[in-house]
Structure formats: C-alpha cells, structure tokens
Amino acid sequence: MAALTGTNVISEKYTEGELQTFVGSYTLDGAIASADTITWSSALPNVNGVTIMEVIVFGDELDTNASPTGTLIVGDGTDADGYLASKTAGGAGDQLLYAGDGALIGTVVTGTDIVLTVGGTLATAASSGTVRIKVLYGCGDFTQ
C-alpha cells in the first residue's frame, strides 16, 4: 500500500454563492497496487463548508486486463466512498469515466481533501497513465 500525492491542477477557490471547480491529476510512475491511495490535499476550501455538486473521475484505466477486477472509490478521507462508490478500475477503450454517486454528492462538506483508493485485486496493474478528478462545488449551502 502506497500513499500517493496528486497534483492540484486547478486549485480551490471560495466566493460565497458561486460554483467553483477543482481539477486534480496523478501520473503513474510505477505499477499501481491494491490499497494504494491518491490524495489531493486542500482540494476544497476550508471556509463555511461547500456543497458537492458533481464529481467526475476520468483518465487511463488502472487495471489494464481485458477483464479488470480492480476497483476504485473516491471520498474525502473520512467517508472513503462519499463521492464515488466502488467502480471497476478498467474501462472501455483503455479509459475511465465515472460520475460521482456517493452519499456526499449534494451535501455540505467541511473536509478539504479528496482521496481515491484502489481496491479489489488488480488483474493487471497499470504502470503508466494519468488519472484525473474534477469536482464542481457550490460555495456555501446549495441544498435548498
């Protein structure tokens, strides 16, 4: 298990009442393994809470087998799958594209980190490629 650090491509911003976007990426520099985590620290602002509107995970597959068995989940460090419940770590056309479906979508959160966890048993672990994450959030309480 490795704790990997993602790159914040578009950093967090906060303007009360506005929608903002965070974008992060991580480029593999060796084989990914089950239980590895990729953390984007300070991805969300630590001000008054934000409402998570949408989370999208996309990029190169992490399990390159024709029948991938690895999974990925995305959360905030306290709720492991709060943004994206378990999805296959391989995709059609060698790409991943998943929309968030976790329990924290549409809720106000105060955590600032985003954590992607590789789960299951990887049939064929990817050793190169890039995974990206995009989070659309409302600055303040957008749950009404």
Side-chain angles (χ1 to χ4, degrees):
M1 174 180 104
L4 308 169
T5 302
T7 300
N8 295 5
V9 178
I10 298 177
S11 296
E12 56 85 12
K13 298 178 204 92
Y14 190 93
T15 303
E16 184 71 31
E18 290 188 1
L19 292 175
Q20 298 289 346
T21 302
F22 166 80
V23 176
S25 71
Y26 180 79
T27 300
L28 299 176
D29 60 0
I32 195 89
S34 186
D36 281 358
T37 60
I38 303 169
T39 301
W40 290 275
S41 297
S42 300
L44 301 172
N46 187 16
V47 187
N48 300 329
V50 297
T51 304
I52 303 300
M53 308 299 280
E54 175 181 72
V55 175
I56 299 174
V57 178
F58 59 104
D60 300 306
E61 60 187 351
L62 301 179
D63 188 338
T64 62
N65 194 282
S67 298
T69 54
T71 60
L72 58 89
I73 61 173
V74 179
D76 65 359
T78 59
D79 185 343
D81 64 353
Y83 298 142
L84 180 75
S86 183
K87 301 293 183 209
T88 303
D94 302 326
Q95 294 289 305
L96 297 173
L97 177 59
Y98 294 118
D101 60 357
L104 296 179
I105 303 295
T107 68
V108 176
V109 300
T110 56
T112 62
D113 294 348
I114 297 172
V115 181
L116 181 148
T117 303
V118 179
T121 301
L122 295 164
T124 308
S127 58
S128 64
T130 301
V131 64
R132 295 174 178 85
I133 191 157
K134 175 182 158 189
V135 179
L136 177 67
Y137 60 92
C139 298
D141 186 345
F142 281 60
T143 60
Q144 295 86 21

